[in-house]
Amino acid sequence: MRIVIAGGHGQIARRLERLLSAGGHEVAGIIRNRAQGDDLREAGAEPVLMDLESASVEEVAAVLQGADVAVFAAGAGPGSGAPRKETVDRGAAVLFADAAERVGVRRYIAVSTMGADARHEGDDVFDVYLRAKGEADDHVRAKSGLDWTILRPGTLTNDAGKGLVRLEATTGRGSVPRDDVAAVLAEMVETPATAGLTLELVSGSVPVTVAVKDIAGN
């Protein structure tokens, strides 16, 4: 399969690129900084230079043309202010979903966050972030042209992945290594029966492959 990842230089995205390319897939990662290209090539992905904050839906659609799966893993990141939560975490996510639908890339996986809620209240940057992610999730879920899955990990860590998770509609608060988030995403790429599900993810006791297959059967 050909998989296009938005936010291709992100920590989760680069882990995912390695897993997918090792599995024999063709992977492209969208980046905004040309200097990041070598990192993507090292991970086995083709770098695509594009700024999702200023690109048109037609430009993004051209990148997605011919893809089998679109994965949104972009984010403004820690330290960014409220305006970029709106332009990246909401705006770029909406743009990427619109472009995928336009060119018929039905399989769409979005990396969201636990607590994302369009109705979340508050004015702090993190409040804006949770609202932006919730609005993006709602936009994706409203699209009949997408076979979407939304993954909402708990607190992300750089601990070595154990391959053991809890993946459910509601897990409760917890943390999860980025390694294991990437492993779940890679499994979801191979498991289209997870379409239509919004899932929370934390560390647990179930092997990744089992957790994804079990939730896909519910």
Side-chain angles (χ1 to χ4, degrees), residues 12 30 43 48 55 58 84-85 106 115 118 120 132 139 147 152 169 173 192 203 214 217:
I12 291 172
I30 297 175
V48 177
E58 291 81 11
R84 293 203 69 227
K85 307 304 182 190
R106 290 201 62 90
H120 181 84
H139 184 83
D147 296 329
R152 291 177 165 177
R173 293 286 174 181
S203 291
D214 282 354

Side-chain angles (χ1 to χ4, degrees), residues 159-206:
D159 298 338
K162 296 181 178 178
L164 299 172
V165 299
R166 183 178 178 190
L167 180 68
E168 299 172 12
T170 305
T171 62
R173 293 286 174 181
S175 62
V176 60
R178 289 178 172 86
D179 286 349
D180 290 336
V181 177
V184 168
L185 290 168
E187 196 68 28
M188 285 178 166
V189 166
E190 304 274 7
T191 313
T194 54
L197 300 177
T198 301
L199 301 169
E200 294 184 350
L201 173 69
V202 295
S203 291
S205 59
V206 181

Side-chain angles (χ1 to χ4, degrees), residues 66-197:
D68 299 289
V69 184
V71 179
F72 186 83
S80 59
R84 293 203 69 227
K85 307 304 182 190
E86 292 291 344
T87 57
V88 179
D89 294 293
R90 185 192 62 78
V94 166
L95 173 69
F96 201 60
D98 289 350
E101 186 178 50
R102 178 169 295 201
V103 293
V105 182
R106 290 201 62 90
R107 187 70 177 115
Y108 187 95
I109 302 172
V111 182
S112 183
T113 188
M114 191 174 290
D117 184 351
R119 293 159 296 283
H120 181 84
E121 297 181 353
D123 298 319
D124 289 342
V125 172
F126 191 66
D127 298 322
V128 176
Y129 170 70
L130 292 177
R131 256 195 318 275
K133 295 296 279 188
E135 289 168 359
D137 291 353
D138 288 350
H139 184 83
V140 169
R141 286 187 293 221
K143 288 198 164 296
S144 59
L146 299 180
D147 296 329
W148 54 265
T149 304
I150 294 172
L151 183 65
R152 291 177 165 177
T155 302
L156 299 170
T157 75
N158 285 325
D159 298 338
K162 296 181 178 178
L164 299 172
V165 299
R166 183 178 178 190
L167 180 68
E168 299 172 12
T170 305
T171 62
R173 293 286 174 181
S175 62
V176 60
R178 289 178 172 86
D179 286 349
D180 290 336
V181 177
V184 168
L185 290 168
E187 196 68 28
M188 285 178 166
V189 166
E190 304 274 7
T191 313
T194 54
L197 300 177

Side-chain angles (χ1 to χ4, degrees), residues 9-88:
H9 195 257
Q11 294 187 65
I12 291 172
R14 277 180 288 160
R15 288 167 167 84
L16 177 59
E17 286 156 3
R18 290 188 183 94
L19 292 173
L20 293 174
S21 61
H25 297 296
E26 180 185 346
V27 188
I30 297 175
I31 55 175
R32 59 185 294 167
N33 183 346
R34 190 181 301 276
Q36 298 169 342
D38 286 344
D39 290 339
L40 266 70
R41 294 184 190 95
E42 185 274 330
E46 166 202 351
V48 177
L49 191 64
M50 176 173 289
D51 186 349
L52 292 174
E53 289 180 88
S54 60
S56 68
V57 67
E58 291 81 11
E59 289 170 328
V60 181
V63 172
L64 285 166
Q65 187 73 49
D68 299 289
V69 184
V71 179
F72 186 83
S80 59
R84 293 203 69 227
K85 307 304 182 190
E86 292 291 344
T87 57
V88 179

